């Protein structure tokens, strides 16, 4: 029997796998260059620690369906972005459509986010939902979360056209709800 290998925390070496162009899922030379239709959106947010300080060396990944709610179409729904000195991340993408869930339930349009940061043994996974989306009221995952904490998963429109913001709090008061996957 071989000896177990010690666990190591994730990060802070994101610069080795950070390709800034991956944050723009609609870039002209990217995998979605020929994709048309759908609402162009910008997803922004800030990653903070338990004290509210920005996490300047985190990596945020997204995975999402296309505007029709499909994961197997022509749209490549994966992106990756390192946070800046203020803990900010920014993605350019298309707003996803509703996706089928278990038992013929429809899931509200959402984006899955994975957060990698120093001090974490594995990534944290959460979802970003869109404020004002009618399907939020019946989304099985969102409804499984206690009402007082659901707001940590709801992105809000900003003053900028097409921009949505969701801040991620890693722990402490106002901690984002993270999902076991």
């Amino acid at each position: 029997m071989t000896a177990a290998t010690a666990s190591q925390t994730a990060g802070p070496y994101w610069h080795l796998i950070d390709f800034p162009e991956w944050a723009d899922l609609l870039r002209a030379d990217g995998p979605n260059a020929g994709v048309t239709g759908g609402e162009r959106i910008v997803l922004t947010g800030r990653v903070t620690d338990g004290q509210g300080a920005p996490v300047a060396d985190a990596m945020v990944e997204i995975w999402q369906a296309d505007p029709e709610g499909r994961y197997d179409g022509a749209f490549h729904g994966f992106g990756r972005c390192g946070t800046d000195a203020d803990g900010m991340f920014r993605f350019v993408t298309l707003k996803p459509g509703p996706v089928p869930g278990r038992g013929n339930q429809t899931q509200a349009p959402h984006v899955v986010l994975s957060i990698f940061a120093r001090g974490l043994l594995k990534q944290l996974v959460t979802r970003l939902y869109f404020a004002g989306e009618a399907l939020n009221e019946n989304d099985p995952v969102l409804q499984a979360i206690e009402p007082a904490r659901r707001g940590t998963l709801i992105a809000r429109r900003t003053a900028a056209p097409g921009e949505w913001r969701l801040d991620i709090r890693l722990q402490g008061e106002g901690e984002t709800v993270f999902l076991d996957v």
Side-chain angles (χ1 to χ4, degrees), residues 54-77:
V55 179
D57 57 358
M59 177 72 68
V60 179
E61 291 182 348
I62 62 170
W63 181 250
Q64 68 170 83
D66 69 15
E68 305 301 318
R70 296 181 310 236
Y71 289 100
D72 59 354
F75 182 73
H76 177 81

Side-chain angles (χ1 to χ4, degrees), residues 6 39 55 69 85 100 104 113 142 155:
E39 178 186 351
V55 179
N104 293 326
L113 292 94
L142 196 55

Side-chain angles (χ1 to χ4, degrees), residues 74-128:
F75 182 73
H76 177 81
F78 173 79
R80 176 185 289 158
C81 180
T83 55
D84 67 15
D86 293 321
M88 297 294 295
F89 61 89
R90 181 181 187 275
F91 292 95
V92 178
T93 187
L94 296 176
K95 187 175 180 187
V99 298
R102 292 184 183 162
N104 293 326
Q105 290 184 301
T106 300
Q107 296 181 37
H110 64 275
V111 176
V112 176
L113 292 94
S114 293
I115 298 93
F116 300 84
R118 62 185 143 77
L120 298 176
L121 295 178
K122 64 178 197 166
Q123 81 270 22
L124 298 173
V125 178
T126 190
R127 285 185 173 191
L128 175 154

Side-chain angles (χ1 to χ4, degrees), residues 1 5 19 28 38 52 67 76 86 92 97 124 140 152 157 172 179:
M1 181 175 224
T5 304
F19 302 97
H76 177 81
D86 293 321
V92 178
L124 298 173
T152 67
R157 284 193 180 270
L179 309 171

Side-chain angles (χ1 to χ4, degrees), residues 2 7-8 11 13 25 37 42 47 55 79-80 88 90 92 95 106 109 111 130 161-162 165 170 175:
T2 58
S7 294
Q8 296 184 356
Y13 302 105
L25 281 66
V42 176
V47 179
V55 179
R80 176 185 289 158
M88 297 294 295
R90 181 181 187 275
V92 178
K95 187 175 180 187
T106 300
V111 176
F130 299 90
R165 181 174 173 144
L170 297 180
E175 176 182 337

